[in-house]
Amino acid sequence: MRTTETTATISPAGALTSAVQNRHPQIEVRPASTDTAAYRYDYATAPRPDAVPDGRPGPAVAFPTSADEVQTLVRLAAEFGVTVVARGAGTGLAGGASAADDQLVISTERLNRIVEVSPLDEVAVVEPGVINGDLNAHLREFGLFYAPDPASFEISSIGGNIATNAGGLRCAKYGVTRESVLALDVVLADGSLISVGHRSIKGVTGLDLTSLFVGSEGVLGIVVRATLRLRPLPVARRTLTAFFDSTASGAEGLGAITLSPVRPAIIEFFDRVSLEGIDGHSGTRLRERGESLILIELDGYGIDEQAADLEDALTRVGARVAVESDEDSAALWELRRYGRGLPASRRFIGEDIAVPKSALPAVYRSFAALEARFGVEISAVSHAGDGNLHPLITQEIKPGDDPAVVPESLAEAATELVRVALALGGTVSGEHGIGTLKREWAALELSQRSIEAQRAIKAAVDPQHLFNPGKAI
Amino acid sequence: MRTTETTATISPAGALTSAVQNRHPQIEVRPASTDTAAYRYDYATAPRPDAVPDGRPGPAVAFPTSADEVQTLVRLAAEFGVTVVARGAGTGLAGGASAADDQLVISTERLNRIVEVSPLDEVAVVEPGVINGDLNAHLREFGLFYAPDPASFEISSIGGNIATNAGGLRCAKYGVTRESVLALDVVLADGSLISVGHRSIKGVTGLDLTSLFVGSEGVLGIVVRATLRLRPLPVARRTLTAFFDSTASGAEGLGAITLSPVRPAIIEFFDRVSLEGIDGHSGTRLRERGESLILIELDGYGIDEQAADLEDALTRVGARVAVESDEDSAALWELRRYGRGLPASRRFIGEDIAVPKSALPAVYRSFAALEARFGVEISAVSHAGDGNLHPLITQEIKPGDDPAVVPESLAEAATELVRVALALGGTVSGEHGIGTLKREWAALELSQRSIEAQRAIKAAVDPQHLFNPGKAI
């Protein structure tokens, strides 16, 4: 069997696959082939559903079931000189988990055990392949929840959430993923396994490697276990809507929430085009209630006082505020997550910029000039409590256009909007990560010296550049 | 003037001092001498007040007033091969800011401007020398506060708080320093200045260098500006006391808070010896109310509901719960901070261990055996919400003992207690840092591979090992 590994024509990835199959038959590995083509992509880079398969092979893909097997795979990959892409559920929106046919994907799909839930420590210990929503379903019986709630929570994995430092809707009150990760077990590029962090909220022994691994998009190590901070389910929840007469007045109105003493769990802002998009896609009539909407979830103690104080603050800046019934609340949050759809007749680019909260009105004001200049339409729903916008920049597909090609004017409009965010003191990516898609934009944000420092740290931890080359930094 | 720099007898630190004085006369620098002896120490390493000065000189000390001057000093230090110790207010409790006479201390005392407060962004931009308590006094008029509240808040600087990732009393609810630091300007060892992080809560462009610098105890760079997250002052506060019949029942009773839906801003636990210490020092009669005390501060909306739910939960586990008057509350928190004093007739070691919250009762249970084995007395006040204990291990000074010498049995008891914490899944330092004093203990906690990774990162960022050698890692 060993002869197949050393023939002149076999690729390093092929030799690695054979070595895993021969030496460690208990680890399932699929060779690079058209069968693994799906692993070339994540949600950001996947072809449109109507695209014709191009017949190119995907990467080799391994499915370890233990930390030990991950260590084995990493050591073998280093031995054969094959670079490694760690992959959670593949729902990333920046290309961070995309892989080529000369790489090894280490999938965490089967590292999916909830190892422990400790109500007295308020922690859960999980493997990286556990789906975010599954964890929260499991925690409900304990009266606890895991706060980070990316919009993908039903399909994205905790490991992927950690790799991207995933955000979500509740971050202004409960923090991003980093604030809920207490400790990690990580496989390094030399195959060693280290434990970093603590099971307590406090702990300052040595450098904070836990935070460094969170959001590192697979370039520093592979997380094989995580200790997560949990919180008690709130004693009450309430949904408020605040409709305004224009996008501009709604964006300005957000400041009234900041200046009030109330800190909602969720503050989502919809501009006029976003409301129209939902109405068109979902058959609702939100637009009749106003030109923009702040959708708010309050939670915790004193919910009546909270609602009253917020209603006061928002009414004073011209909002029509309503406390929604439980049924209407559920429908509204469903619309927030799935209501908008994407226009089949238009090409689009989605963004993930974040700005200082006070700059949100300026971002919305910037859309008109960009629309006129580039012949596009721009709208945005915002996680307004943390300054994170998801602009959707679209352009009509004209007869004769290739729907698979992003026209230059659309790409230029997107880059220009990124520049607007940066000029306002903002950032290229609030919560999706840099991956492959946003490296050029990242270079607009970070200084050369800062990029050098990041690359030096990467090289210190992974001198062979084994992990996820060409991504993130 | 240049000739004095090149005489054979002058030390590198002396040459550096002369170079600063000659080339950059606007930067105040004091040469290494007995006048700077105080800079040999921080609060952890300072001699007892009654100690006789030993006549040894302190380090050279520079007092820059701008980021640019810090850059200049760092470049000169590198040129002359003099290592650099950044120093805030010197209130650290682990020796992290201590310096020798062949080093340059860069003091941030005069980098003490509050640059900006933005209520709409909920951020403050400050220089590192700003005192924590001064910042909060300044923020009060805006209705805002900066959450991290180390017990030293009246005298410790924001830069020092960042260097140690300082904790405090409110961390279980509001997070440690890291959770309140959004962005930093940092001078690196090559004298370059980089900006890391974001002015928004979200931002994932590149590796999270902000979190890496927080808690790095001056070994990676010198913070010259920080963007801090602020929060609205709570609409209400209330203090509850819960007295128990024994230390053990009080420690067990802490779990009732965790299992309730209430999350207090502060949960401090006092064992019997701590209560007696306060009564002895402050003339109070707390011990008459019980053998242990959980002192709680609630804040925010629904304060009556919160108090009622917590009183229920604690009464069910045997506590005598009282809501304290405003006056008594103020007195109790004053006692928490300053009430205990330190026994003049005893030698002592203070610790800073943290454990998973569920293990707090086991730590208190461990004291008796250690007391018997080492002939010491052990007590602890805990920041119980985050598992952080400050044990005080004391031993009587007998006639003929040198009060300046820590006897071996006391040191051994301290190390053994650290081992107890580690065996329970805890950590050597919850919030004070490692500095010089706890490096041996840190080696008990961290694996060799983890320490190697930390040192590789240090070397990547500071290849000359210019910054704070021999500290933290």
Side-chain angles (χ1 to χ4, degrees), chain B residues 30-41 56-61 63 99 101:
Chain B
R30 295 185 202 152
S33 73
T34 51
D35 290 349
T36 64
Y39 291 88
R40 280 164 50 194
Y41 312 106
R56 283 169 56 206
V61 186
F63 300 89
D101 63 357

Side-chain angles (χ1 to χ4, degrees), chain B residues 192-224:
Chain B
S192 58
L193 176 71
I194 62 170
S195 297
V196 297
H198 308 91
R199 196 177 159 111
S200 50
I201 288 172
K202 284 184 187 164
V204 292
T205 307
L207 300 177
D208 185 359
L209 298 189
T210 311
S211 295
L212 184 65
F213 285 117
V214 174
S216 63
E217 300 193 43
V219 307
L220 299 182
I222 302 179
V223 171
V224 292

Side-chain angles (χ1 to χ4, degrees), chain A residues 121-122 168 172 178 190 202 204-205 207-208 229 263 301 309 357-358 427 429 431 445 449 454, chain B residues 121-122 168 172 178 190 202 204-205 207-208 229 263 301 309 357-358 386 427 429 431 445 449 454:
Chain A
D121 284 338
E122 288 184 283
R178 190 189 65 217
D190 63 358
K202 283 184 187 165
V204 293
T205 307
L207 299 178
D208 185 357
R229 178 184 185 172
R263 283 299 167 271
Y301 281 93
D309 282 1
K357 288 197 286 189
S358 66
T427 175
S429 179
E431 58 184 7
E445 177 177 341
R449 185 67 189 86
Q454 296 189 31
Chain B
D121 284 339
E122 289 185 284
R178 190 189 61 218
D190 63 359
K202 284 184 187 164
V204 292
T205 307
L207 300 177
D208 185 359
R229 177 183 185 172
R263 284 299 167 271
Y301 280 93
D309 283 0
K357 288 197 287 188
S358 66
D386 48 45
T427 175
S429 179
E431 58 184 8
E445 177 176 341
R449 186 66 189 87
Q454 295 189 32

Side-chain angles (χ1 to χ4, degrees), chain B residues 283-302:
Chain B
T284 47
R285 299 168 77 172
L286 296 172
R287 182 63 188 75
E288 290 177 7
R289 298 176 68 183
E291 272 211 3
S292 68
L293 164 63
I294 309 178
L295 180 62
I296 296 158
E297 184 173 277
L298 302 172
D299 68 8
Y301 280 93

Side-chain angles (χ1 to χ4, degrees), chain B residues 72-160:
Chain B
T72 298
L73 288 163
V74 168
R75 287 196 189 106
L76 281 173
E79 179 185 332
F80 286 88
V82 175
T83 60
V84 171
V85 179
R87 184 183 179 97
T91 60
L93 293 171
S98 60
D101 63 357
D102 59 353
Q103 296 192 290
L104 172 69
V105 167
I106 295 184
S107 166
T108 59
E109 280 175 62
R110 299 187 194 165
L111 284 164
N112 62 354
R113 290 183 308 146
I114 297 173
V115 179
E116 183 198 355
V117 175
S118 167
L120 274 175
D121 284 339
E122 289 185 284
V123 303
V125 179
V126 304
E127 292 183 332
V130 170
I131 299 299
N132 180 307
D134 292 349
L135 174 61
N136 268 320
H138 183 72
L139 292 173
R140 214 164 291 141
E141 66 176 291
F142 297 95
L144 296 166
F145 76 111
Y146 170 67
D149 64 336
S152 60
F153 72 89
E154 289 171 321
I155 50 172
S156 64
S157 69
I158 297 293

Side-chain angles (χ1 to χ4, degrees), chain A residues 62-345:
Chain A
F63 300 89
T65 59
S66 69
D68 184 63
E69 290 183 359
V70 174
Q71 292 181 269
T72 298
L73 288 164
V74 168
R75 287 196 190 104
L76 281 175
E79 181 185 332
F80 286 88
V82 174
T83 60
V84 171
V85 179
R87 183 183 179 99
T91 60
L93 294 172
S98 59
D101 63 356
D102 60 352
Q103 297 192 290
L104 173 69
V105 167
I106 295 185
S107 167
T108 60
E109 280 175 63
R110 299 189 194 164
L111 284 164
N112 62 354
R113 290 182 310 145
I114 297 173
V115 179
E116 184 198 352
V117 175
S118 167
L120 273 176
D121 284 338
E122 288 184 283
V123 302
V125 179
V126 305
E127 291 183 332
V130 171
I131 300 298
N132 180 309
D134 291 349
L135 174 61
N136 269 320
H138 183 73
L139 293 173
R140 214 162 291 140
E141 66 176 292
F142 298 94
L144 296 167
F145 76 112
Y146 170 67
D149 64 336
S152 60
F153 71 89
E154 289 170 323
I155 49 172
S156 64
S157 70
I158 297 293
N161 293 171
I162 291 171
T164 53
N165 189 17
L169 278 61
R170 292 191 287 240
C171 302
K173 182 161 185 175
Y174 293 108
V176 292
T177 296
R178 190 189 65 217
E179 272 86 70
S180 286
V181 175
L182 296 174
L184 295 172
D185 287 354
V186 182
V187 174
L188 298 179
D190 63 358
S192 57
L193 177 71
I194 62 170
S195 297
V196 297
H198 308 91
R199 196 177 157 110
S200 51
I201 288 172
K202 283 184 187 165
V204 293
T205 307
L207 299 178
D208 185 357
L209 298 189
T210 311
S211 295
L212 185 64
F213 284 116
V214 175
S216 64
E217 300 193 43
V219 307
L220 298 181
I222 302 179
V223 170
V224 291
R225 185 171 283 208
T227 303
L228 306 175
R229 178 184 185 172
L230 308 178
R231 297 165 186 274
L233 284 168
V235 292
R237 287 205 171 100
R238 189 157 301 164
T239 296
L240 269 67
T241 50
F243 282 93
F244 290 82
D245 285 336
S246 68
T247 294
S249 60
E252 290 287 348
L254 290 163
I257 304 175
T258 304
L259 297 179
S260 85
V262 183
R263 283 299 167 271
I266 309 181
I267 309 168
E268 297 290 305
F269 178 64
F270 303 74
D271 63 2
R272 180 181 55 79
V273 177
S274 298
L275 291 180
E276 289 168 354
I278 292 174
D279 284 347
H281 184 75
S282 301
T284 45
R285 300 169 77 173
L286 296 172
R287 181 63 188 75
E288 291 177 6
R289 297 175 69 183
E291 273 211 2
S292 69
L293 163 64
I294 309 177
L295 179 62
I296 297 159
E297 184 174 276
L298 301 172
D299 69 6
Y301 281 93
I303 201 90
D304 293 328
E305 301 164 64
Q306 288 187 52
D309 282 1
L310 204 59
E311 184 167 353
D312 273 3
L314 285 166
T315 304
R316 255 182 272 126
V317 292
R320 293 177 293 282
V321 181
V323 174
E324 302 290 330
S325 71
D326 285 356
E327 194 183 338
D328 289 346
S329 299
L332 283 163
W333 291 112
E334 184 81 4
L335 288 173
R336 163 63 190 87
R337 293 195 193 270
Y338 310 108
R340 193 170 179 191
L342 287 167
S345 64

